[in-house]
Amino acid sequence: MTQEEALQILKSGRSVFLTGPAGSGKTYVLKEYIRFLRKEKKPVGITASTGVAATHLNGMTIHSWTGMGILDTLTKNDLSKIMRKKNVKSRICNSHVLIIDEISMLSAGSINIVEEIMRKTRGSWDPFGGIQVILCGDFFQLPPVNRSGIESMGQFAYHSRAWRELNPDVCYLTEQYRHQDQDYIKVLNAIRTNSVDNQIIEILNQRIKSGSNGGTNLYTHNVDADKINDRELAKLDDKEVVFHMHSSGPTALVNVLYKSCLASEVLILKKGAFVMFLRNNFEEGYVNGTFGVVDSFDNEGCPVVRTNQGRFIHVLPEDWRIENESGKLLASITQLPLRLAWAITIHKSQGMTIDTAEMDLSKCFEPGMGYVALSRVRTLKGISLRGINQMALRVSPEVVDMDKDFRLLSEQVVKGLHKKVE
């Protein structure tokens, strides 16, 4: 399906699953549709499963948009509390369209919670309260991370009751815009179909370098990313400024908060440090995934960050909180919403387009991880590999089979579209 065909279907008002390989222009189609909706003065909820992905659309996480936060289950008390939040209720009831990007990282259980919140808040038994829903993503990329270890109704979103009842049209984009290098496309397609052979391995082995190419560092584990960040911080001559996390509440609840945010218990910064924001704060001009450099420290000792967009932001500590159904504070942690960002994990890179990258894929531990890392970069020449293992060359066999179904469903949608035109 072409981008133009997909846009035509989106503009028809039907709910859609927009998918396709990395670099096929899914984000472009979403942005064009958002532009169309705003021109038509139709309110749209712009969300994604992760903060970094949400920044690409100038949106927010689906967890914040619905008010569900870190919930893995939804009780009557949870629902009552959410429905009392005026901002949440207003945006759910007023939106004509809901967009959820990077749907592969939203579990079946989570999307069921989203759907129930919307249905109950809007007072409608129709799926998602009766509005148009655009689910966007690629299931060959990283799967959901369930904080509690609970696998609810299958791992992927398409296993959910919500997906089944919504029954979205499939728009499978087939054109390639990010990658023009034919050898590179051959590598990515081979990984995507679990058909890597010796020729593909040899192409990748040629990208194993001992030196640095100066690109973004991608790692499978936080500990390895942290080593790079610590090394780069040590190179800066300015003095260290240390920020300690503060917490209150029962240890068990505080630990839940630790696991649900990326803030460090001890954050060390210097002037010139490359950082990434970890929270949404629209009033202050940053969202989860905004990058910048520490420009200075103000009179209170707090960092002033110059973002990649050229804005200067005085960064203050923020709270991560757990409240009961009455709004009473049960536990909280307080820290600057920043982390060092010379190196990031592959999970955090999903949705990015990078010119050059150094990556170590020798510790890939789940299907799709290598595909995500490799497909972030525009060309093979832009990749410097420090190592690669067999897992980096695999994707989920279930997803390979499901992808065939999505392609067939999309072809049927295209045929129906052209029949109407005739």
Side-chain angles (χ1 to χ4, degrees), residues 97-272:
V97 181
L98 172 64
I99 292 170
I100 309 177
D101 197 12
E102 297 294 1
I103 193 67
S104 72
M105 296 185 76
L106 196 68
S107 69
S110 293
I111 198 170
N112 281 338
I113 291 174
V114 169
E115 195 277 336
E116 185 174 354
I117 289 171
M118 293 188 65
R119 186 161 31 84
K120 295 289 179 61
T121 303
R122 292 175 63 87
S124 168
W125 284 105
D126 292 329
F128 290 86
I131 69 173
Q132 182 189 22
V133 179
I134 312 301
L135 307 172
C136 181
D138 179 15
F139 287 103
F140 283 102
Q141 300 194 36
L142 294 172
V145 177
N146 292 318
R147 296 187 187 94
S148 63
I150 298 172
E151 293 291 343
S152 179
M153 296 179 61
Q155 187 179 26
F156 295 106
Y158 58 72
H159 287 291
S160 67
R161 169 195 54 76
W163 187 293
R164 186 169 60 252
E165 293 178 0
L166 183 69
N167 191 26
D169 284 353
V170 178
C171 293
Y172 198 117
L173 301 178
T174 53
E175 298 169 306
Q176 181 54 243
Y177 293 91
R178 182 183 298 160
H179 308 116
Q180 304 303 320
D181 180 335
Q182 291 305 310
D183 279 346
Y184 201 17
I185 292 172
K186 188 188 298 183
V187 168
L188 295 176
N189 286 341
I191 297 175
R192 194 177 174 89
T193 53
N194 273 340
S195 58
V196 171
D197 57 19
N198 289 335
Q199 182 186 15
I200 300 300
I201 292 173
E202 178 56 30
I203 291 172
L204 288 172
N205 282 340
Q206 292 173 14
R207 304 314 309 161
I208 295 179
K209 309 285 184 182
S210 57
S212 170
N213 69 355
T216 301
N217 288 272
L218 299 181
Y219 285 92
T220 53
H221 292 75
N222 276 312
V223 64
D224 294 316
D226 290 343
K227 285 180 182 177
I228 296 294
N229 287 324
D230 291 344
R231 184 189 73 195
E232 294 301 313
L233 185 70
K235 292 179 181 178
L236 300 176
D237 291 332
D238 279 68
K239 67 175 183 179
E240 294 182 350
V241 182
V242 182
F243 301 88
H244 293 275
M245 179 183 285
H246 300 284
S247 64
S248 66
T251 302
L253 292 181
V254 168
N255 285 338
V256 169
L257 288 169
Y258 282 150
K259 292 176 182 178
S260 67
C261 80
L262 290 171
S264 303
E265 289 189 60
V266 179
L267 175 65
I268 303 174
L269 297 178
K270 294 180 182 180
K271 183 178 177 181

Side-chain angles (χ1 to χ4, degrees), residues 69-80:
I70 61 174
L71 294 176
D72 284 319
T73 58
L74 186 69
T75 66
K76 287 184 178 180
N77 284 337
D78 293 329
L79 189 58
S80 296

